[in-house]
Amino acid sequence: MDLKDTEVERQMTMGKKDAGHQEMIEKAALSPLLAPLTPEEFAKADKRVTRVLDLLIMGPMIIIYIFNYLDRQSISAAKLAGIEEDLNLTDTEYQTAISLLFLGYCLCQVPSNLVVSKIKWPGVYICAAMAAWGVVSACTAATKDFGGLVATRFFLGIVEAAFFPGALYYLSLFYTRKAFATRVALLYSGSQLGNAFGGLLAIGILKLDGVHGIQGWRWLFLLEGAVTVGLAIVFAFILPSSPATCPMLSDTERELLLWRIKTEQGAADKRDELTASQAFSLALVDPKTWCFIGILYSTYIAAAVTQFFPTVVASLNYDRTLTYVLTAPPYLFTVITMVINGHYSDKRQNRWQHILGPMVVAVIANVIAVSTLALPARYLAMMLMPSSYYAAAIVILSWMTESITQPAPKRAAAMAFINALCNTPNIWTSYLYTGAPRFTIAFSVNLAASALAVVFTLITRIYLMRKNADLDKNKVTARGAPTDEQVAAGFRYTL
């Protein structure tokens, strides 16, 4: 049987939902609390567990990500509101201030995620980081010059580093592979809603310009930072610490939650399996780590356009208020495409096609952007850019999270390392967005990066197909292989 036949057979097996569900119930009978449940009771409990998780986890996490992006992206709105003139910044100094946030952001992700994989209260840790970046963001309102802006941006990156890779690891503690891409899409929708409504919110806050002698952009940082801190305190009391202590669930439902996570992963997420250095070393030697770096790094090079989206939209030559308004529709469209793409990726249990499709659209969007200045075509390209990049990114992140196997600290280290390294384009791409209104260099680089992401996606698919073929033949290689428990449980990589 060749690799193609193996893949067809696996897809046919996944399509037998009823048989798979019955098999799941039979396996769950090994648990004393789950054994007495009828199939109907089991299905009802399973659905209720997911609803409770979505209520307790996804709602707060989406809001946290909205404010993560609001606090990070406020500087783009501040540029149109005169921050460069008030602080006497050159274009290069402004670009440097944006870049230095990502320097701190990239440096601290791995150590932060190693911490979150070891502690008992990961939800509280994420909320503490949220409060910290709210404070730092508010402090931006007090900056007087380039040095002060650089300092606040750098420290903002350090404290924000805890959130996104920590959120991916945190979600992986509660959700299975069959639901993960949809949840990552919902999580990522927070960033896009932050982008979409950040400009609209800025319109209202900037009307405070001059109140108590404070410029409008200073009010922007101050008010958004204060709200962030308040929400962080509230969410610290809501987010559960682990599946075993999840509130609003009965003992049977908690047992079901623990059982389905352990069954899929083939092993419990133990925090004491490895030291931090051992975990990081295992992540580095896993070939899958570098496969996903190739895909995500290329995607994030192109997606860096979102850091300058108000500036790019401003090249359409509308006034400041209309420019803010015009930045919203592309991000709202992005939320829709992300959720749809993530949902069908989960439903089909297919990842590579749901990455390939959006990145082909990204190639087309950049061809349009680099080749014409016609307003309708230009705005169409801007509608397609964020939606294509992020629709692909949420599936890449899901694919990465489920393919980087146990132990738990290794998964946490790999997720943080990949995300940290792949965010480094935000440091250097800021210098590409010159030469308005065409931005030829930036869009040409984005075009090449989008095409490269397609290539790396195909390479990763071929590699994982071969790993699945090896597992079918009971051939397990040392580097990056599933654990013995996962192999015994029938683990296979999703393609």
Side-chain angles (χ1 to χ4, degrees):
M1 182 179 291
D2 59 22
L3 294 180
K4 183 177 180 181
D5 292 335
T6 301
E7 171 62 9
V8 170
E9 183 178 323
R10 288 186 65 249
Q11 293 297 333
M12 290 176 62
T13 301
M14 285 183 175
K16 299 175 182 177
K17 294 183 179 180
D18 294 337
H21 188 65
Q22 183 61 38
E23 181 183 358
M24 183 172 69
I25 295 173
E26 291 172 359
K27 288 181 178 179
L30 298 175
S31 166
L33 286 176
L34 301 180
L37 297 180
T38 65
E40 293 76 16
E41 290 172 336
F42 188 94
K44 184 178 179 180
D46 193 48
K47 289 180 180 179
R48 186 176 185 279
V49 166
T50 301
R51 286 198 300 269
V52 170
L53 291 180
D54 288 344
L55 176 65
L56 292 177
I57 296 175
M58 291 313 306
M61 294 297 279
I62 291 169
I63 296 173
I64 292 173
Y65 208 4
I66 289 174
F67 280 85
N68 181 272
Y69 254 68
L70 280 177
D71 293 334
R72 185 189 308 180
Q73 299 291 79
S74 291
I75 194 169
S76 296
K79 181 180 181 181
L80 297 182
I83 190 173
E84 285 184 298
E85 293 77 10
D86 290 337
L87 299 185
N88 296 315
L89 302 177
T90 65
D91 287 342
T92 300
E93 286 175 335
Y94 173 78
Q95 291 164 344
T96 300
I98 289 179
S99 298
L100 284 177
L101 178 142
F102 291 99
L103 179 60
Y105 185 73
C106 295
L107 287 174
C108 294
Q109 286 193 40
V110 173
S112 175
N113 238 35
L114 287 171
V115 171
V116 83
S117 71
K118 294 285 187 179
I119 62 177
K120 295 181 179 180
W121 303 284
V124 174
Y125 179 82
I126 289 171
C127 291
M130 182 186 184
W133 81 61
V135 170
V136 175
S137 182
C139 288
T140 309
T143 55
K144 303 295 184 183
D145 52 26
F146 171 64
L149 182 63
V150 163
T152 54
R153 294 292 292 178
F154 178 71
F155 284 108
L156 183 62
I158 289 176
V159 292
E160 284 200 349
F163 177 66
F164 190 69
L168 287 179
Y169 174 76
Y170 181 68
L171 292 182
S172 74
L173 298 178
F174 296 90
Y175 289 100
T176 63
R177 287 192 288 179
K178 293 180 180 179
F180 202 76
T182 303
R183 269 65 192 182
V184 174
L186 292 172
L187 174 67
Y188 233 116
S189 70
S191 68
Q192 304 315 305
L193 290 171
N195 279 325
F197 294 111
L200 302 179
L201 184 62
I203 293 173
I205 295 178
L206 291 175
K207 290 181 179 179
L208 295 174
D209 187 30
V211 175
H212 300 299
I214 300 174
Q215 293 106 322
W217 64 265
R218 295 186 189 275
W219 278 114
L220 189 66
F221 287 112
L222 187 60
L223 293 180
E224 289 181 357
V227 174
T228 298
V229 174
L231 287 173
I233 296 171
V234 173
F235 292 149
F237 292 96
I238 295 176
L239 291 176
S241 298
S242 71
T245 60
C246 189
M248 295 177 62
L249 294 178
S250 66
D251 291 340
T252 300
E253 289 166 342
R254 287 194 193 94
E255 180 69 15
L256 173 57
L257 174 57
L258 288 166
W259 172 84
R260 72 185 190 183
I261 292 292
K262 183 177 179 180
T263 299
E264 182 179 84
Q265 293 176 350
D269 259 352
K270 298 176 183 177
R271 300 183 180 93
D272 56 353
E273 291 171 312
L274 297 171
T275 65
S277 60
Q278 289 172 331
F280 186 55
S281 297
L282 280 178
L284 289 180
V285 301
D286 188 341
K288 297 188 295 297
T289 298
W290 300 99
C291 287
F292 289 111
I293 284 173
I295 308 174
L296 199 60
Y297 192 89
S298 302
T299 303
Y300 279 179
I301 288 173
V305 68
T306 58
Q307 303 294 325
F308 294 88
F309 214 61
T311 301
V312 174
V313 175
S315 69
L316 299 177
N317 294 320
Y318 294 111
D319 62 37
R320 188 180 79 180
T321 298
L322 187 54
T323 295
Y324 282 138
V325 171
L326 288 175
T327 60
Y331 290 119
L332 294 175
F333 182 59
T334 298
V335 172
I336 296 170
T337 55
M338 282 194 311
V339 173
I340 292 174
N341 196 46
H343 171 73
Y344 280 101
S345 178
D346 276 343
K347 185 175 181 179
R348 298 179 61 203
Q349 279 299 283
N350 175 284
R351 303 305 187 207
W352 75 277
Q353 291 178 343
H354 293 269
I355 298 170
L356 205 66
M359 292 314 298
V360 169
V361 173
V363 169
I364 295 170
N366 279 286
V367 168
I368 295 172
V370 81
S371 60
T372 182
L373 290 176
L375 290 185
R378 193 81 164 174
Y379 193 67
L380 173 63
M382 293 175 191
M383 285 288 292
L384 295 176
M385 282 179 191
S387 60
S388 56
Y389 301 141
Y390 289 116
I394 59 102
V395 181
I396 297 167
L397 293 166
S398 302
W399 204 14
M400 169 193 80
T401 303
E402 66 198 22
S403 298
I404 304 294
T405 49
Q406 299 274 38
K410 174 216 170 178
R411 289 197 304 120
M415 282 186 261
F417 177 65
I418 293 170
N419 198 60
L421 190 60
C422 293
N423 269 282
T424 56
N426 288 299
I427 298 173
W428 56 267
T429 52
S430 61
Y431 299 98
L432 300 178
Y433 288 85
T434 57
R438 190 173 287 276
F439 299 102
T440 304
I441 295 175
F443 289 132
S444 297
V445 170
N446 294 349
L447 173 59
S450 300
L452 195 58
V454 170
V455 173
F456 277 117
T457 299
L458 295 173
I459 291 172
T460 303
R461 176 181 181 260
I462 292 169
Y463 177 78
L464 293 181
M465 282 180 66
R466 291 178 175 174
K467 293 292 107 180
N468 279 341
D470 288 343
L471 289 169
D472 290 337
K473 299 173 184 176
N474 294 320
K475 290 170 58 179
V476 181
T477 54
R479 290 193 303 170
T483 64
D484 292 340
E485 289 175 288
Q486 287 176 305
V487 173
F491 176 89
R492 294 296 184 274
Y493 296 104
T494 306
L495 299 180

